[in-house]
């Protein structure tokens, strides 16, 4: 087929796909990309620029909201995660553009298009392609449930198993990262993940100074970013939407984890937050006990030790935590919400099952009802961001 005819056929097919969903063509007024400035380093080969953050943006022709949405991807991934779903449908990027939001999508420093630099960055870990883990944790949790809620999973498109083209499209999105598990399933050093936290906090401050106040949307590993960004520049953060944020506070609670080892010394983050009274040493707030769970399907939470402290810079920032009904996060996202609430933050936790959105795993933005999940977020933003 001649190239011109192929392009015309592709455009018509995409337009028909949109029209069949009752939406019509998506009209973009402006789009592009840029990098934050990063930092200059002296190296053995001379000066280099590293630790920049890639940002792409689209602004709809019918912009209806004053504040843009800024998306941060999860671990081992890139901002491409927010675009088309693995079965070829429009993703959350398009959903919020159609809702009239300007959309900015980032790649975290040292990953994807933000450029890893071996002269200054921590060791890059090339993880083995592990589709079996993806099946167990994300796409086919119902077959061999590792946590109580896993059997409720119904929403991943296709079979969720190796060999299915949708599954292969999903797992192909993984990328090497400085934060991958080391050989023997050893977690990355605290200084590595704390460095990522600090870099995103610093580079996002530059981003918000450029584009103005925004809504921050995080997922999984990037959950820590939202708290740190709001802590650093609360006047420029209109809301934080945390989709199954990295947690729970202080420890990791993935299936098989040691529930007593401190992973995040500042509760919900690896890098320091601003507490009142101040925390000079994270040992001051390290939990000394785990509370009894409120339900047999939940994990008991780890409250901060010592005198009650607040997070004063987050007190005026509305926070939404969203949790899938079948995700491993369904065991413990309530702990993150309670930690923030106890610290004076206006945090709301919505387990999706409680609002009639059922069957979702940790990768809900890639699942069959992704628009329904996005709709819960959009409705909350309508009520809380003016």
């Amino acid at each position: 087929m001649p190239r011109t005819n192929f392009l015309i056929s592709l455009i018509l097919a995409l337009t028909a796909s949109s029209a069949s969903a009752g939406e019509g063509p998506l009209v973009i007024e402006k789009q592009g990309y840029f990098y934050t400035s990063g930092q200059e380093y002296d190296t053995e080969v001379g000066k280099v620029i590293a630790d920049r953050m890639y940002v792409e943006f689209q602004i709809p022709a019918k912009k209806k909201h004053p504040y843009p949405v800024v998306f941060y991807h999860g671990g081992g991934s890139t901002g491409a995660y927010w675009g088309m779903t693995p079965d070829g449908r429009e993703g959350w990027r398009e959903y919020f553009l159609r809702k009239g939001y300007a959309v900015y999508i980032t790649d975290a420093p040292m990953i994807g298009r933000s450029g890893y630099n071996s002269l200054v960055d921590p060791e890059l870990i090339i993880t083995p392609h592990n589709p079996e883990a993806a099946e167990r944790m994300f796409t086919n949790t119902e077959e061999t449930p590792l946590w109580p809620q896993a059997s409720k999973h119904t929403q991943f498109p296709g079979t969720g198993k190796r060999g299915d083209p949708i599954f292969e499209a999903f797992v192909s999105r993984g990328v090497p990262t400085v934060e991958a598990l080391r050989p023997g399933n050893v977690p990355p050093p605290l200084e590595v993940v704390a460095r990522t936290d600090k870099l995103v906090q610093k580079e996002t401050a530059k981003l918000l100074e450029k584009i103005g106040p925004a809504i921050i949307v995080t997922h999984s590993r990037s959950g820590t970013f939202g708290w740190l960004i709001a802590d650093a520049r609360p006047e420029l953060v209109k809301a934080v939407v945390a989709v199954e944020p990295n947690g729970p506070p202080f420890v990791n609670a993935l299936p098989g984890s040691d529930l007593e080892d401190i992973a995040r010394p500042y509760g919900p983050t690896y890098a320091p937050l601003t507490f009142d009274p101040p925390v000079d040493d994270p040992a001051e707030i390290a939990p000394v006990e785990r509370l009894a769970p409120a339900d047999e399907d939940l994990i008991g939470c780890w409250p901060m030790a010592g005198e009650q402290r607040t997070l004063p810079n987050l007190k005026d920032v509305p926070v939404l935590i969203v949790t899938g009904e079948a995700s491993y996060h369904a065991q413990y996202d309530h702990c993150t919400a309670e930690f923030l609430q106890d610290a004076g933050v206006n945090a709301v936790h919505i387990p999706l099952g409680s609002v009639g959105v059922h069957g979702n795993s940790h990768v809900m933005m890639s699942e069959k009802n992704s628009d329904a999940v996005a709709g819960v977020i959009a409705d909350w933003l309508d009520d809380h961001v003016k």
Side-chain angles (χ1 to χ4, degrees):
M1 178 185 294
R3 178 175 174 80
T4 300
N5 291 343
F6 170 78
L7 290 174
I8 292 172
S9 298
L10 178 61
I11 292 169
L12 290 174
L14 291 173
T15 301
S17 175
S18 295
S20 67
E23 294 285 353
L26 175 58
V27 182
I28 302 298
E29 181 178 285
K30 185 179 180 181
Q31 65 181 12
Y33 74 92
F34 56 88
Y35 283 84
T36 60
S37 59
Q39 184 172 332
E40 186 177 276
Y41 293 88
D42 289 311
T43 74
E44 59 194 55
V45 299
K47 293 185 182 296
V48 299
I49 301 294
D51 301 336
R52 296 165 295 176
M53 189 168 70
Y54 171 88
V55 184
E56 67 180 37
F57 66 91
Q58 290 182 303
I59 299 173
K62 295 182 179 180
K63 185 179 173 185
K64 301 176 183 177
H65 301 276
Y67 306 116
V69 177
V70 183
F71 286 99
Y72 294 81
H73 59 82
S77 184
T78 71
Y81 211 80
W82 298 107
M84 188 173 68
T85 63
D87 59 334
R89 294 172 293 111
E90 291 186 350
W92 284 11
R93 173 182 60 196
E94 289 77 20
Y95 182 92
F96 283 93
L97 285 167
R98 290 187 181 278
K99 287 291 184 180
Y101 287 95
V103 170
Y104 291 76
I105 294 179
T106 68
D107 281 7
M110 300 180 288
I111 197 167
R113 292 160 291 186
S114 289
Y116 169 80
N117 192 313
S118 62
L119 294 171
V120 296
D121 292 329
E123 180 185 6
L124 181 67
I125 301 296
I126 309 297
T127 54
H129 184 63
N130 194 342
E132 293 180 356
E135 287 185 29
R136 292 194 304 269
M137 297 299 294
F138 306 131
T139 67
N140 190 34
T141 69
E142 62 274 24
E143 188 163 298
T144 54
L146 299 178
W147 56 91
Q149 299 86 347
S151 60
K152 299 179 180 180
H153 186 222
T154 60
Q155 291 293 346
F156 194 82
T159 67
K161 298 180 181 181
R162 283 161 288 167
D164 184 288
I166 298 172
F167 175 83
E168 298 302 332
F170 172 78
V171 295
S172 295
R173 299 177 178 200
V175 296
T177 170
V178 301
E179 295 186 356
L181 291 174
R182 272 52 179 170
N185 287 334
V186 176
L190 175 60
E191 60 267 22
V192 171
V193 283
R195 182 172 187 264
T196 302
D197 271 8
K198 293 174 184 176
L199 284 176
V200 174
Q201 185 184 47
K202 180 179 179 181
E203 296 305 305
T204 299
K206 299 174 185 177
L207 168 62
L208 297 182
E209 288 166 3
K210 178 182 178 72
I211 70 173
I215 297 160
I216 304 298
V217 178
T218 65
H219 174 237
S220 195
R221 166 64 184 97
S222 65
T224 63
F225 303 167
W227 321 133
L228 288 160
I229 293 164
D231 188 49
R233 300 304 302 269
E235 76 282 5
L236 293 177
V237 177
K238 291 300 178 179
V240 174
V241 176
V243 180
E244 301 204 350
N246 193 254
F250 296 111
V251 306
N252 285 326
L254 290 168
S257 298
D258 186 334
L259 299 182
E260 306 305 325
D261 290 344
I262 298 294
R264 283 166 292 281
Y266 293 92
T269 63
Y270 302 97
L273 284 167
T274 303
F275 287 92
D276 182 24
V279 172
D280 297 318
D281 184 333
E284 298 170 16
I285 61 171
V288 296
E289 63 176 344
R290 179 153 57 109
L291 301 179
D295 184 274
E296 63 180 1
D297 290 345
L298 302 179
I299 289 174
C301 304
W302 293 256
M304 73 173 80
E307 62 182 310
Q308 181 60 46
R309 288 174 162 86
T310 63
L311 293 166
N313 292 347
L314 273 67
K315 66 180 179 66
D316 295 323
V317 178
V319 168
L320 171 64
I321 297 172
V322 178
T323 306
E325 182 180 49
S327 173
Y328 57 87
H329 274 253
Q331 301 174 99
Y332 58 72
D333 272 357
H334 64 285
C335 295
T336 302
E338 290 170 12
F339 181 97
L340 295 172
Q341 292 162 357
D342 289 345
V345 181
N346 180 19
V348 174
H349 180 210
I350 298 183
L352 289 173
S354 71
V355 293
V357 180
H358 298 289
N360 288 106
S361 75
H362 185 56
V363 294
M364 61 191 74
M365 65 288 299
S366 294
E367 297 193 304
K368 291 183 290 186
N369 63 345
S370 56
D371 280 1
V373 179
V376 172
I377 295 171
D379 289 346
W380 183 86
L381 289 174
D382 285 344
D383 291 339
H384 292 83
V385 178
K386 305 299 181 182

